[in-house]
Amino acid sequence: MNSIDKLIKIFSEFPGIGPKQARRFVYFLITRHEGYIDELKREITSLRANIESCVECRRYFTKSSIDKKLCNICADSTRDNTSLMIVSRDVDLENIEKSHFFNGKYFVLGGTVPILDKNPEQRIRLKDLLVLLNRMSENGLKEVILGLDANSEGEYTTDIIKGAVSPITEKYSIKISELGRGLSTGSELEYSDPETIKNALKNRS
Ligand SMILES: [Zn+2]
């Protein structure tokens, strides 16, 4: 495989990018000057070096100091600790934050579980979620909101999480609600506008 084909293969693995677009990216890069390519290399390298995963919600954030382990949301004492929203990806969290309609805490699963997949632990951060949930439950958590996409994979993941968290939520009488019920079928949270998110939150059940 030559470098053109290799790069096309890499770009094809990006979310939402097909082989045709991947090929366009590669030919775009070929025509760029050296400075552009150098900057791109530098930024990709520093992405890994400067990004940390929050020890609580698991979202990625830019390290500002060496010993910072919590993202700005988890470190914010004005956020509501009685409400936890579970989302699949960082982009979903960011979109909900942009709407300003939710002031609780989050947990980012890091993906969804494909239908009939038998090893959900390998697809999502289920263990980390249970650790956080146990700790929050002992500190007054009242509601878990499942904020997954309103499509079949989102629903399947929702069912898996409900099953996994039920021993904890039952023990502490924590309410479980679903944001997906307030979204129209097929909606992806990442692309939902603030008004849709507001309604989904209001109509969660
Ligand atoms: Zn966090």
Side-chain angles (χ1 to χ4, degrees):
M1 204 184 264
N2 61 35
S3 10
I4 291 182
D5 291 337
K6 259 190 224 162
L7 258 184
I8 291 174
K9 188 172 172 286
I10 290 171
F11 285 131
S12 308
E13 289 162 5
F14 282 33
I17 302 300
K20 259 190 197 167
Q21 284 161 302
R23 181 173 291 275
R24 285 173 64 194
F25 286 1
V26 174
Y27 282 96
F28 166 79
L29 287 176
I30 289 172
T31 61
R32 292 297 102 172
H33 56 83
E34 217 168 301
Y36 184 93
I37 303 290
D38 284 344
E39 193 188 357
L40 184 66
K41 280 196 288 194
R42 241 188 350 262
E43 290 306 325
I44 290 175
T45 311
S46 70
L47 196 58
R48 286 309 292 253
N50 298 331
I51 298 289
E52 185 87 68
S53 168
C54 173
V55 291
E56 278 198 357
C57 71
R58 292 290 155 195
R59 73 192 278 238
Y60 295 108
F61 67 100
T62 313
K63 270 189 273 190
S64 54
S65 66
I66 291 159
D67 46 334
K68 205 178 156 199
K69 294 269 177 268
L70 294 175
C71 73
N72 61 332
I73 296 175
C74 292
D76 184 350
S77 58
T78 68
R79 304 280 306 207
D80 178 10
N81 278 317
T82 67
S83 180
L84 176 70
M85 180 158 352
I86 300 172
V87 295
S88 52
R89 297 167 300 253
D90 287 68
V91 285
D92 299 326
L93 182 156
E94 275 163 27
N95 200 26
I96 294 167
E97 275 301 284
K98 262 194 276 171
S99 80
H100 300 293
F101 289 115
F102 181 70
N103 192 42
K105 295 286 179 82
Y106 294 95
F107 182 82
V108 182
L109 292 167
T112 47
V113 185
I115 297 197
L116 300 179
D117 188 282
K118 293 281 174 264
N119 294 304
E121 293 87 357
Q122 287 170 9
R123 304 279 186 172
I124 56 174
R125 303 174 180 124
L126 211 46
K127 265 191 213 151
D128 293 331
L129 170 65
L130 296 180
V131 171
L132 177 68
L133 198 58
N134 260 313
R135 200 173 58 237
M136 287 185 77
S137 299
E138 285 166 7
N139 290 294
L141 181 69
K142 290 193 171 64
E143 184 180 10
V144 170
I145 304 167
L146 290 154
L148 285 105
D149 292 337
N151 55 29
S152 49
E153 204 161 304
E155 279 162 23
Y156 185 66
T157 309
T158 292
D159 288 342
I160 286 184
I161 293 170
K162 275 182 164 178
V165 304
S166 63
I168 305 173
T169 52
E170 278 164 25
K171 181 179 167 194
Y172 292 94
S173 307
I174 292 162
K175 183 186 168 195
I176 299 188
S177 59
E178 288 176 45
L179 204 61
R181 302 238 174 125
L183 292 168
S184 55
T185 311
S187 302
E188 291 187 27
L189 270 176
E190 179 185 354
Y191 304 114
S192 300
D193 57 77
E195 196 58 24
T196 306
I197 289 173
K198 180 185 165 192
N199 289 328
L201 269 165
K202 213 170 76 187
N203 299 326
R204 68 183 186 268
S205 58

